[in-house]
Amino acid sequence: NAHGGNFEVLDVMAREIRIETGMYVFSIQPSRLPSDRTKMGCAMTPDELRYGIHGGLAETSAILRIRPELVKREKFRESYPACFEGCGYVDFSGKVSFGWMTKDVSNTGAVGNPVGAAAEQGEQWFGHLTAELYQAFVELRNLKRPGE
């Protein structure tokens, strides 16, 4: 899954499949994988690291790399959620979960700052993410279960 908003549903489904079939099921969320988001190939500000989840620097750079004709640079503007100002727990970190829609946190439909996005950064982001996915698959392959 590479789309936010589906994390919890997939986690519940994975557990249900495990209970019903005995299979080990894992849910991988690429956006949660980066162990160090500052090394993803994009010069991320603290605000972008915390809030840049939809149409921000990394995502826009990725789209510039694979489908640049879809990017409308004239619409680039910073759009961070004001509702989280002063919050230490309520944000997108998952410390405190809440049911939200994009319109609850953004007037523009974007959450982040795409200014400075570039295809080269998107290429680096994909490379970093691919390396992280590979490591996750290695761990899944080598995972020791009770009784093994």
Side-chain angles (χ1 to χ4, degrees):
N1 174 53
H3 186 272
N6 298 326
F7 301 147
E8 298 82 5
V9 173
L10 291 175
D11 290 342
V12 169
M13 287 175 55
R15 187 164 191 281
E16 291 296 319
I17 293 169
R18 171 75 178 111
I19 291 167
E20 291 180 23
T21 68
M23 284 186 351
Y24 285 90
V25 180
F26 301 91
S27 173
I28 297 177
Q29 319 295 339
S31 63
R32 292 183 172 175
L33 282 180
S35 53
D36 184 352
R37 291 186 66 196
T38 64
K39 296 181 180 173
M40 290 176 48
C42 298
M44 308 276 263
T45 65
D47 280 342
E48 190 64 17
L49 285 167
R50 186 171 182 194
Y51 302 121
I53 64 160
H54 185 59
L57 186 67
E59 189 172 84
T60 303
S61 292
I63 299 302
L64 281 168
R65 171 61 183 91
I66 59 172
R67 295 287 307 272
E69 71 278 8
L70 298 177
V71 178
K72 296 175 176 61
R73 290 184 180 273
E74 69 278 3
K75 294 192 175 197
F76 282 12
R77 62 190 45 84
E78 181 180 291
S79 181
Y80 294 124
C83 59
F84 296 145
E85 287 179 19
C87 294
Y89 293 94
V90 181
D91 59 20
F92 300 124
S93 68
K95 293 175 190 172
V96 174
S97 297
F98 65 106
W100 60 275
M101 297 184 298
T102 302
K103 68 180 182 178
D104 297 331
V105 296
S106 172
N107 292 325
T108 66
V111 184
N113 186 359
V115 175
E120 298 77 22
Q121 292 182 75
E123 180 72 27
Q124 291 175 357
W125 184 82
F126 280 124
H128 184 79
L129 187 57
T130 301
E132 294 267 350
L133 279 168
Y134 173 79
Q135 288 303 317
F137 285 126
V138 167
E139 285 186 19
L140 288 172
R141 182 189 66 210
N142 298 328
L143 189 65
K144 296 192 184 338
R145 293 173 222 133
E148 288 185 346

